């Protein structure tokens, strides 16, 4: 899995004074990727579960990263406090299977935009996290998104991640280098 992070020429890039962008080419159709973004049962396999995201609606994101590793691994102490936390989000834009935009952490930590573009039998996903207020947010959110998108990439390719937290740690290092 660490090789996957290193192979990306741009792990994350800062695209504005309050925004970062990540990009992945995923081994699935735009319709399948859309389902992994909006359906809680699929979303929990790479990010957070909760409830389904629907047009014009609100939905919940439930933090339970135990489901992201194929082996039993413990939460790092610094993340244990988030386990089981629910964030209430709002869908801002919902244009299946092309564009999804939602609040992040109840809107307290910005907006996330997912753009999907078919490329043959694959889909390019561009994720932009904007309106980041925290100075450390670029590294924190960049490392988090990079690791979660790597899990999604592996899942859609029919593989799994042994230890999400080891991946997350490596991801934070890659993002720190990418953002300077």
């Amino acid at each position: 899995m660490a090789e996957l992070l290193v192979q990306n020429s741009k792990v994350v890039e800062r695209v504005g004074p309050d925004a970062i962008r990540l990009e992945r080419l995923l081994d699935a159709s735009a319709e399948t990727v859309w389902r992994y973004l909006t359906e809680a049962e699929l979303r929990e396999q790479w990010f957070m579960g909760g409830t389904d995201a629907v047009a014009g609606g609100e939905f919940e994101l439930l933090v339970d990263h135990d489901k992201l590793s194929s082996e039993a691994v413990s939460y790092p102490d610094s993340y244990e406090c988030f386990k089981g936390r629910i964030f209430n989000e709002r869908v801002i834009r919902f244009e299946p299977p092309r564009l999804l935009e939602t609040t992040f952490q109840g809107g307290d930590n910005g907006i996330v935009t997912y753009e999907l573009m078919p490329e043959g039998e694959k889909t390019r996903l561009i994720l932009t996290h904007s309106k980041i207020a925290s100075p450390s947010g670029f590294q924190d959110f960049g490392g988090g998104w990079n690791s979660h998108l790597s899990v999604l990439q592996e899942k859609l390719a029919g593989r799994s991640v042994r230890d999400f937290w080891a991946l997350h740690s490596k991801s934070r290092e890659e993002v720190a280098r990418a953002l300077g």
Side-chain angles (χ1 to χ4, degrees):
M1 176 49 65
E3 300 80 33
L4 183 73
L5 295 171
V6 175
Q7 289 174 1
N8 295 319
S9 59
K10 287 188 180 178
V11 174
V12 62
E13 63 181 322
R14 199 164 174 168
V15 292
D18 66 350
I20 56 173
R21 183 175 117 168
L22 298 93
E23 192 171 318
R24 289 288 195 286
L25 185 60
L26 302 171
D27 195 14
S29 68
E31 290 78 11
T32 297
V33 175
W34 180 262
R35 291 184 57 221
Y36 273 83
L37 297 178
T38 60
E39 296 177 20
E41 191 173 298
L42 294 173
R43 192 178 57 237
E44 76 180 359
Q45 295 177 30
W46 69 275
F47 183 45
M48 291 188 238
T51 59
D52 291 353
V54 297
E58 294 185 0
F59 67 104
E60 294 179 345
L61 288 177
L62 169 64
V63 181
D64 184 4
H65 293 358
D66 286 336
K67 299 179 180 188
L68 304 181
S69 303
S70 62
E71 295 183 2
V73 296
S74 299
Y75 269 67
D77 291 341
S78 59
Y79 289 95
E80 184 71 35
C81 62
F82 292 102
K83 189 173 182 177
R85 184 167 179 187
I86 295 174
F87 293 100
N88 295 302
E89 307 301 344
R90 183 173 50 88
V91 174
I92 300 166
R93 294 173 66 193
F94 193 89
E95 302 170 16
R98 191 184 73 69
L99 184 112
L100 175 67
E101 188 172 75
T102 71
T103 58
F104 191 73
Q105 293 185 343
D108 293 338
N109 278 311
I111 295 172
V112 178
T113 305
Y114 306 86
E115 299 172 82
L116 304 178
M117 292 163 272
E119 290 189 15
E121 295 181 10
K122 297 183 180 203
T123 301
R124 183 161 307 278
L125 167 64
I126 298 173
L127 182 149
T128 305
H129 189 153
S130 61
K131 299 189 179 182
I132 298 171
S134 157
S136 66
F138 295 100
Q139 167 134 7
D140 292 342
F141 296 135
W145 283 121
N146 190 50
S147 55
H148 285 291
L149 291 179
S150 293
V151 174
L152 177 60
Q153 193 169 15
E154 291 296 285
K155 177 65 68 179
L156 291 172
R159 299 183 295 264
S160 62
V161 173
R162 277 188 32 249
D163 182 344
F164 172 77
W165 292 111
L167 168 65
H168 188 267
S169 178
K170 177 71 175 165
S171 180
R172 286 184 55 82
E173 294 171 16
E174 294 287 326
V175 167
R177 280 195 293 278
L179 294 177

